[in-house]
């Protein structure tokens, strides 16, 4: 079976890095990562970028160490397919920026850059590679040179892009046949909303969009009703979800300025994101979106005792990756133990929110019968509520769909919830190969080759 070819849009914090390690350690027959698109989220975008580059730095050190021990290098997918890395949104479309430093630490990885600075890649070796270029170029000469002349550099594992993430998303989709590229979105959806606004017909070429976000049947994790990624930019999520609708105009959020308090160098306010073209002008009927909401992802977790049992022997042997991962996860385990009931000792755990989406991208086709995906639910995002911003709203009334009346609404139904021609059609993952199956898959894929 051909590998799942993906774009990963991410805000590298703890579970994001675990998801990326899972993807890069997988078999090249399972997954190919074409682009890593950075967004703000758990922390500021530049900290997210530092975490990502440091991850490549540690991977490079890990492969060197494994060779010295006569072990397989691992990271087969990464060694076969070198991804592009681009930096995108630094703030949401119209709301104040939300971050999750209280979980992930101020640097996004539990303070690992301070506690283990030898595993951090010095900024002077990479930061300038992502400076914006002249408009007619994609990569600076410096970036191309650094990516190809030093095989011992972590930058040799990826190609840095100077274009904004949403432009790289469009470039990647445009350069491949329609329906062949899956977008895995494990942070706020700002980059995706910007890409869809910039070139909606090209964005609609995506095979599917896998979204870690939202809460449907359970509480949120930032407010009683909102999950972090959705709350961090509810307008962006609403705009992406609207592309699943037979008529996107029926679920589009109110038009907003991109950060209306901010002005450009000429003192002008930024442009308003326009509405999408009419349905008959879009290239495909609807965008395929599959949600992996909090009430599903929270049931997939990694316990402290099982992580330590896998990594401690490797740390004693000198594994850079085991030492680095143990450092940032130690802080996260401690944070979870302090914040939540039911977390104690070896039973303390971290949720595998983002790795679950990567697991589906790897195994969703080959183990199709073990995954359960709902078919086109009308899930909408609250973008303006004082207490309910970021909430996923669904119709829980026991009402039959009706014939559209004046204005496209069914008589007795406000908002077009019962209309056959409006509303969103979002898929939702409700069943996986096993709630306790993911943790050993993650550990064995990333660390198992050297145990």
């Amino acid at each position: 079976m051909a590998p799942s070819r993906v774009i990963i849009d991410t805000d590298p914090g703890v579970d994001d890095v675990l998801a990326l390690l899972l993807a890069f350690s997988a078999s090249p027959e399972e997954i190919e990562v074409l682009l890593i698109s950075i967004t703000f989220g758990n922390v500021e975008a530049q900290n997210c970028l530092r975490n990502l580059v440091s991850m490549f730095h540690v991977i490079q050190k890990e492969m060197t160490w494994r060779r010295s021990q006569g072990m397989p290098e691992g990271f087969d997918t990464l060694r076969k397919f070198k991804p592009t890395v681009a930096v995108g949104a630094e703030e949401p479309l119209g709301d104040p920026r939300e971050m999750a430093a209280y979980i992930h630490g101020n640097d996004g990885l539990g303070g690992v850059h301070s506690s283990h600075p030898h595993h951090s890649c010095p900024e002077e070796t990479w930061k300038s590679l992502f400076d914006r270029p002249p408009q007619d170029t994609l990569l600076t000469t410096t970036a191309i040179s650094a990516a190809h002349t030093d095989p011992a550099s972590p930058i040799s594992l990826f190609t840095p892009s100077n274009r904004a993430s949403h432009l790289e998303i469009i470039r990647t989709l445009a350069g491949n046949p329609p329906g062949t590229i899956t977008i895995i979105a494990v942070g706020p959806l700002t980059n995706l909303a910007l890409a869809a606004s910039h070139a909606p017909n090209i964005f609609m070429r995506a095979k599917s969009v896998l979204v870690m976000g939202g809460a449907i049947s359970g509480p949120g994790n930032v407010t009683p009703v909102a999950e972090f990624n959705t709350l961090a930019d509810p307008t962006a999520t609403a705009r992406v979800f609207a592309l699943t609708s037979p008529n996107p105009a029926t679920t589009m959020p109110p038009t907003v300025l991109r950060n209306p308090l901010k002005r450009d160098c000429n003192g002008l306010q930024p442009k308003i994101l326009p509405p999408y073209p009419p349905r008959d002008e879009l290239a495909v009927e609807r965008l395929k979106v599959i949600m992996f909401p909090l009430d599903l992802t929270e049931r997939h977790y990694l316990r402290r005792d099982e992580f330590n049992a896998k990594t401690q022997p490797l740390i004693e042997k000198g594994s850079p990756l085991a030492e680095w991962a143990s450092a940032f996860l130690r802080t996260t385990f401690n944070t979870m133990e302090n914040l939540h009931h039911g977390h104690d000792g070896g039973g303390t755990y971290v949720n595998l929110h983002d790795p679950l989406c990567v697991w589906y991208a790897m195994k969703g086709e080959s183990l199709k019968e073990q995954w359960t995906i709902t078919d086109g639910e009308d899930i909408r995002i609250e973008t303006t509520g004082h207490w309910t911003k970021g909430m996923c709203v669904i119709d829980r009334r026991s009402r039959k769909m009706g014939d559209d009346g004046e204005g496209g609404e069914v008589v007795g139904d406000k908002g077009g919830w019962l209309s056959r021609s409006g509303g969103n059609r979002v898929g939702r993952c409700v069943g996986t190969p096993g709630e306790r199956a993911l943790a050993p898959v993650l550990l064995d894929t990333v660390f198992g080759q050297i145990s």
Side-chain angles (χ1 to χ4, degrees):
M1 181 175 291
S4 178
R5 308 180 71 227
V6 304
I7 294 168
I8 301 180
D9 189 74
T10 176
D11 54 336
V14 172
D15 59 320
D16 302 73
V17 168
L18 294 177
L20 291 165
L21 289 171
L22 176 61
F24 289 134
S25 301
S27 163
E29 285 71 43
E30 292 178 315
I31 194 168
E32 175 187 355
V33 182
L34 286 81
L35 169 65
I36 301 175
S37 163
I38 295 292
T39 179
F40 77 95
N42 293 313
V43 289
E44 296 93 343
Q46 286 301 310
N47 266 332
C48 291
L49 177 61
R50 177 171 66 160
N51 293 341
L52 179 68
V53 175
S54 293
M55 182 199 72
F56 284 116
H57 181 57
V58 172
I59 289 174
Q60 187 70 266
K61 292 168 68 175
E62 179 73 7
M63 290 193 298
T64 300
W65 175 77
R66 292 182 187 183
R67 286 194 302 269
S68 74
Q69 300 295 307
M71 301 173 178
E73 286 182 287
F75 303 100
D76 294 348
T77 289
L78 180 58
R79 289 189 292 115
K80 183 173 181 179
F81 306 116
K82 182 162 73 170
T84 297
V85 172
V87 184
E90 298 184 355
E91 56 195 13
L93 294 181
D95 297 282
R97 186 168 58 189
E98 300 279 350
M99 290 185 291
Y102 70 100
I103 292 289
H104 296 266
N106 290 331
D107 65 359
L109 287 178
V112 73
H113 298 290
S114 298
S115 65
H116 291 69
H118 55 292
H119 288 321
S120 298
C121 193
E123 286 191 3
E124 61 269 18
T125 66
W126 58 266
K127 195 168 185 179
S128 64
L129 304 181
F130 295 91
D131 291 343
R132 293 288 182 257
Q135 291 187 0
D136 60 346
T137 64
L138 173 61
L139 297 174
T140 62
T141 303
T142 305
I144 294 172
S145 174
H148 295 286
T149 59
D150 184 4
S153 166
I155 301 164
S156 69
L157 297 177
F158 66 90
T159 300
S161 172
N162 308 103
R163 280 188 176 171
S165 284
H166 72 280
L167 299 178
E168 277 295 344
I169 291 172
I170 292 303
R171 185 191 66 83
T172 303
L173 292 171
N176 289 275
T180 61
I181 306 299
T182 295
I183 301 174
I184 303 175
V186 293
L189 299 190
T190 315
N191 286 336
L192 274 64
L194 292 172
S197 176
H198 180 77
N201 274 314
I202 296 177
F203 186 77
M204 299 281 279
R205 292 162 64 102
K207 179 180 180 180
S208 61
V209 179
L210 312 181
V211 175
M212 190 282 118
I216 303 296
S217 302
N221 60 357
V222 184
T223 76
V225 296
E227 176 274 335
F228 173 78
N229 285 342
T230 306
L231 179 66
D233 198 341
T235 299
T237 306
R239 287 184 66 97
V240 173
F241 280 20
L243 288 173
T244 70
S245 174
N247 181 3
T250 63
T251 60
M252 280 283 281
T255 300
V256 296
L257 288 170
R258 289 200 63 207
N259 195 341
L261 298 180
K262 192 170 185 178
R263 296 177 181 271
D264 64 18
C265 60
N266 297 315
L268 301 175
Q269 287 185 326
K271 293 181 180 179
I272 296 173
L273 289 185
Y276 295 127
R279 167 58 58 197
D280 58 4
E281 294 182 16
L282 292 175
V284 297
E285 183 180 357
R286 291 194 295 268
L287 180 70
K288 181 179 179 181
V289 170
I290 302 175
M291 278 183 67
F292 292 77
L294 201 63
D295 31 293
L296 174 76
T297 62
E298 281 191 332
R299 302 201 300 268
H300 299 75
Y301 55 88
L302 173 65
R303 289 170 54 108
R304 176 191 272 153
D305 54 8
E306 61 188 346
F307 175 76
N308 289 342
K310 175 64 76 171
T311 58
Q312 189 57 40
L314 302 176
I315 294 173
E316 293 170 0
K317 293 178 182 178
S319 164
L321 177 61
E323 181 186 52
W324 185 66
S326 180
F328 68 73
L329 276 171
R330 183 185 306 116
T331 303
T332 309
F333 285 131
N334 291 340
T335 299
M336 299 304 291
E337 193 169 25
N338 291 333
L339 285 178
H340 295 285
H341 296 294
H343 287 259
D344 184 58
T348 300
Y349 59 88
V350 295
N351 297 116
L352 299 176
H353 305 293
D354 299 347
L356 184 59
C357 294
V358 171
W359 191 29
Y360 178 80
M362 291 165 52
K363 298 294 188 181
E365 295 288 340
S366 61
L367 300 178
K368 191 172 184 178
E369 70 284 354
Q370 297 184 33
W371 296 85
T372 305
I373 310 295
T374 64
D375 185 23
E377 296 177 283
D378 189 359
I379 301 171
R380 307 187 195 182
I381 307 301
E382 175 57 59
T383 60
T384 59
H386 183 64
W387 303 115
T388 58
K389 183 179 290 186
M391 179 181 181
C392 294
V393 182
I394 63 174
D395 190 353
R396 303 183 189 277
R397 301 172 296 175
S398 181
R399 296 278 301 275
K400 294 181 178 179
M401 303 295 283
D403 295 324
D404 293 358
E406 185 176 351
E409 291 194 349
V410 175
V411 175
D413 173 53
K414 185 67 176 176
W417 291 92
L418 303 178
S419 169
R420 293 189 177 91
S421 62
N424 293 331
R425 304 290 188 271
V426 179
R428 177 164 60 102
C429 184
V430 296
T432 72
E435 294 173 3
R436 292 298 296 132
L438 177 54
V441 167
L442 174 69
L443 292 174
D444 291 344
T445 303
V446 176
F447 300 107
Q449 299 170 5
I450 57 174
S451 59

